[in-house]
Amino acid sequence: MASTTNDNNNGFCHETKTFKSTRPPMPLPSSSKALSITQYSLSLLNSTATASSLETSTFLIDGGTGHSLSYSQFLRQSQSLAASLQARFPSLSTNNVALILSPPSLHVPVLYFSLLSLNITVSPANPLSTPSELKHIVQLTKPKIAFATSSTAKHIPSLPLGTVLIDSTQFASMLNSKISSSPKQVTATQSDSAAILYSSGTTGRVKGVELSHRNLISVLCGFFHNNNLTTNDNSQAVSLFTLPLFHVFGFFMLFRAFTLGECLLLMGRFDFETMLKTVEKYKVINMPVSPPLVVMLAKSDMVPKYNLSSLRKLGCGGAALRKEISQKFNARFPQVVILQGYGMTETGGGATSMVGPDEARHYGSSGRLTANMEAKIVDPSTGEALLPGKEGELWLRGPNVMKGYVGDNEATVATFSSDGWLKTGDICYFDSEGFLFIVDRLKELIKYKAYQVPPAELEHVLHSIPGIADAAVIPYPDEEAGQIPMDFM
């Protein structure tokens, strides 16, 4: 077989018409090794932290109440909860699904780590989901148990092991249980399902994206390695989360913050001025954000009223950030670098990213392919793979890519090519230096802030209203939200 050569500048191979990452390959653990995302995260944390620092360093702060957990307290609560769950629900076993329906709180990360350590598949959903949406989710994923708050539990259908209220005194006692010093060891293979997160996929109703431990490990490995390449400061970074923890961006960034030993501030209901006050009070350094928040930071008259000089880095994803907004932001915050990236729930949140301030200057781009990833740009009409600079549908392949859509084999088959490429539904191109630019959606999903809103869902609601004979919904550009729905009736 003839050897193939990839362009060093953009990773493109003319023989296969495939882009490969120009970044050094990441040292992923052997796929045959029994390893969960929690075990891998803890191994990365322990590689850079000391026992004394885990006792004293704060991991989580509730921005609303000021309550906090150190790394050691977090790990003790996670183990205590895992042991309590094993004792209380002996039939809860490997690969069972746990539905989680809760606003952000200190309990949610503890719950994630506890369940994943038991090789239970976590399935966090939007706590504002309607009863019909929850019914659909339960039909797809068939959860054995649910964890919710008093306010969100009422809409959850009956499940085999019921619903545990995480704002109850009973749950609080489970976090500090004396049942045993540690839970019984549970073995997870990397191919086991770690999480089911929700996405509209390329079109249609919400889909359950099944991500393996291996998927999450591969994304986390890349971020951890890139951080060590670009960071020389050993002080603890303070990160502020405005992201929902059920969304793939928030879900993954939680694990990233843990492995890097950061202090993570959680916000409840988002309020822009409260966010500004929090950045000032806690001297926040990092924030993962969506483009609408960058717009607000660049333009709002409230911003100069607060001292935001601690900010150093924004990780921006969820939608493309326009060049003029980036420049306006940089004029106001010259000390802050915006590192943009591209990912989908179907890729564990990672596919392309920027590393360092030099790459951040490629305005309008979503960065370069992350390590170990491959891509094609495909003509939607002919199926032909295209050259750099040509626009077409982005196809992705690599260890980040999901197992499939749970409970929806038809959608899984439609989303993958016969040779394993994930069809993203995004119209993109790679430039001569390997930077990805997103142009449009192949399917007319509405990108409202960091969320995907399928027009078919809104049309279904409109069709149910008496007096409306027919309706069509399309995306309409909006500076703050990215896109908003526009309906025709």
Side-chain angles (χ1 to χ4, degrees), residues 132-133 136 199-201 203-207 454 456-457:
S132 64
E133 288 169 335
H136 176 63
S199 164
S200 294
T203 187
R205 293 192 74 180
V206 66
K207 297 175 178 64
E457 290 275 339

Side-chain angles (χ1 to χ4, degrees), residues 2-20:
S3 61
T4 57
T5 303
N6 294 84
D7 189 306
N8 291 331
N9 291 321
N10 55 35
F12 185 71
C13 174
H14 281 271
E15 288 86 353
T16 63
K17 293 188 178 179
T18 298
F19 295 86
K20 290 194 175 182

Side-chain angles (χ1 to χ4, degrees), residues 19 376-379 384-386 390-394 428 430:
F19 295 86
K376 283 183 181 180
I377 300 295
V378 177
D379 186 314
E384 177 190 1
L386 304 175
K390 300 293 185 181
E391 296 179 5
E393 184 183 11
L394 175 66
C428 308
F430 285 98

Side-chain angles (χ1 to χ4, degrees), residues 180-199:
S180 64
S181 57
S182 61
K184 299 169 191 171
Q185 188 68 36
V186 176
T187 301
T189 67
Q190 292 181 56
S191 61
D192 284 337
S193 298
I196 298 172
L197 306 179
Y198 297 97
S199 164

Side-chain angles (χ1 to χ4, degrees), residues 197 241 243-244 247-254 288-290 315-318 349 450:
L197 306 179
F241 260 34
L243 307 171
H247 190 278
V248 67
F249 197 6
F251 184 85
F252 174 72
M253 293 302 284
L254 166 67
V289 299
S290 58
C316 186

Side-chain angles (χ1 to χ4, degrees), residues 410-427:
E410 183 179 345
T412 301
V413 171
T415 302
F416 283 96
S417 70
S418 59
D419 51 350
W421 290 91
L422 174 73
K423 304 173 186 178
T424 69
D426 285 312
I427 300 299

Side-chain angles (χ1 to χ4, degrees), residues 148-154 165-168:
T149 63
S150 303
S151 61
T152 62
K154 57 189 175 185
L165 299 181
I166 68 174
D167 54 354
S168 66

